[in-house]
């Protein structure tokens, strides 16, 4: 539908360039990268470690600045002085999950307190309302609230702790979500529960744009609608997941398929 096509991407990187270091140590990490994710879409970004996935997605989510190029959130740039308000909107509308849940959760806080934190930071004061939202977020990721509300990270498995981190990321119903290697530190058996949690989140929020980053194609292939393959700072291939898996155009993609777990 024409109307659908006129909606802007949820997030879009246009010709993103990024280097780190100075002088002879300078080293370019992204070369004119164009990537977008649409409302309601789950985008998988795969590639070997060091290929630039984290740098690209940190730039897309406003956590880092590109050297040149642009980043748009709902069609409006988040960069520069004129992008400040849009960057704030993006920060308020994004949920982010990282690789190691024990590093991202405060060991002194119960799961309930960690999950409630984004609501409190956003100024919510209605404790019953907060409690209800926290319980719903726990249920969404398959954690029984009566069992986990008062539990500390040290009394959880990696998979349980990661689901707490995911519940915290989605408790405010983000419009855009980033999970960067969220399953890489989780044992294979527990990865399925994490995948189920992402599937449940997509079902609850059908307009959310989700970006799943992994060095392992296996962990994104069943949930991503579309896959972008990165290699040494460039997008080497992208397309619907089935097409990437069944008709990879690049030798590099074939290697990633052969190495996939799950
Ligand atoms: P990936 O997430 O695909 O593993 P990254 O985006 O983390 O890749 O890293 C891409 C390249 O950029 C790597 O060579 C990495 O060492 C380098 N890099 C990333 N962040 C920094 C930084 N803050 N300072 C210097 N080099 C960095
Ligand atoms: Mg990374």
């Amino acid at each position: 539908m024409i109307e659908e096509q006129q909606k802007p991407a949820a997030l879009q990187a246009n010709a993103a360039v990024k280097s780190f270091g100075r002088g002879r140590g300078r080293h370019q990490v992204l070369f004119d990268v164009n990537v977008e994710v649409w409302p309601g879409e789950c985008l998988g970004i795969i590639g070997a470690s060091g290929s630039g996935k984290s740098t690209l997605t940190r730039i897309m989510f406003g956590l880092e600045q590109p050297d040149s190029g642009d980043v748009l959130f709902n069609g409006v740039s988040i960069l520069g002085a004129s992008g400040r308000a849009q960057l704030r909107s993006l920060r308020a509308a994004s949920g982010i999950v990282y690789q190691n849940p024990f590093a991202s959760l405060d060991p002194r806080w119960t799961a309930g307190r960690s999950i409630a934190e984004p609501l409190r930071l956003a100024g919510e004061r209605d404790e019953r309302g907060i409690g209800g939202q926290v319980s719903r977020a726990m249920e969404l990721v398959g954690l029984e609230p009566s069992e986990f509300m008062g539990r500390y990270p040290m009394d959880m498995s990696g998979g349980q702790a990661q689901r707490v981190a995911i519940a915290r990321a989605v408790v405010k119903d983000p419009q855009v979500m980033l999970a960067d290697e969220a399953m890489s530190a989780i044992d294979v058996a527990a990865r399925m529960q994490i995948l189920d949690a992402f599937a449940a989140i997509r079902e609850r929020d059908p307009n959310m744009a989700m970006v799943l980053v992994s060095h392992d194609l296996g962990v994104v292939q069943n949930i991503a609608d579309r896959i972008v393959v990165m290699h040494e700072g460039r997008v080497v291939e992208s397309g619907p997941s089935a097409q990437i898996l069944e008709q990879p155009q690049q030798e590099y993609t074939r290697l990633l398929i052969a190495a996939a777990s799950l």
Side-chain angles (χ1 to χ4, degrees):
M1 278 190 320
I2 290 164
E3 268 173 43
E4 291 284 328
Q5 287 171 355
Q6 285 173 341
K7 266 197 195 166
L11 281 174
Q12 181 167 13
N14 285 337
V17 170
K18 183 74 179 178
S19 297
F20 290 110
R22 285 166 182 274
R24 294 188 54 184
R26 191 170 173 85
H27 137 85
Q28 190 165 347
V29 170
L30 296 177
F31 299 80
D32 285 301
V33 176
N34 298 302
V35 169
E36 77 282 320
V37 58
W38 299 92
E41 182 181 47
C42 178
L43 178 71
I45 301 182
I46 62 163
S49 83
S51 58
K53 306 179 298 296
S54 294
T55 303
L56 170 65
T57 49
R58 287 177 57 77
I59 287 172
M60 289 174 78
F61 280 75
L63 303 170
E64 193 147 12
Q65 301 253 339
D67 300 336
S68 64
D70 204 355
V71 179
L72 312 182
F73 170 50
N74 294 333
V76 178
S77 178
I78 62 166
L79 299 179
S82 59
R84 239 171 248 154
Q86 193 67 355
L87 176 60
R88 268 198 303 277
S89 316
L90 171 58
R91 294 254 165 87
S94 43
I96 302 185
V97 183
Y98 296 104
Q99 178 164 351
N100 182 348
F102 296 109
S104 43
L105 296 174
D106 190 317
R108 301 161 303 173
W109 287 10
T110 63
R113 182 169 172 195
S114 282
I115 296 169
E117 190 200 19
L119 300 172
R120 296 216 168 90
L121 285 177
E124 291 195 32
R125 291 288 173 268
D126 166 14
E127 287 304 318
R128 277 190 58 191
I130 290 174
Q133 274 171 278
V134 170
S135 294
R136 280 193 296 279
M138 282 188 166
E139 281 163 1
L140 190 62
V141 299
L143 297 172
E144 169 55 42
S146 62
E147 199 180 326
F148 282 91
M149 195 64 78
R151 200 178 291 190
Y152 289 90
M154 65 174 287
D155 298 318
M156 295 178 210
S157 68
Q160 289 166 343
Q162 190 62 297
R163 282 184 284 150
V164 170
I166 294 168
R168 182 181 59 180
V170 299
V171 72
K172 277 202 310 159
D173 299 344
Q175 275 180 58
V176 288
M177 178 168 182
L178 169 64
D180 188 350
E181 303 281 4
M183 282 176 274
S184 303
I186 307 300
D187 60 275
V188 174
R191 283 183 189 176
M192 289 303 172
Q193 293 164 314
I194 309 261
L195 279 178
D196 287 347
F198 287 134
I201 289 162
R202 293 195 68 196
E203 213 167 294
R204 183 191 72 170
D205 298 335
N207 290 316
M208 181 195 285
M210 190 182 270
V211 179
L212 297 187
V213 173
S214 180
H215 66 279
D216 183 349
L217 172 64
V219 306
V220 308
Q221 64 182 7
N222 290 318
I223 182 165
D225 302 307
R226 201 157 54 84
I227 290 177
V228 164
V229 182
M230 289 193 69
H231 181 50
E232 295 179 349
R234 291 184 166 86
V235 172
V236 294
E237 183 159 4
S238 72
S241 300
Q243 184 188 311
I244 297 287
L245 288 161
E246 286 154 28
Q247 300 160 331
Q249 300 299 301
Q250 301 291 327
E251 182 57 28
Y252 183 68
T253 308
R254 287 191 268 276
L255 289 173
L256 291 176
I257 292 171
S261 75
L262 282 180

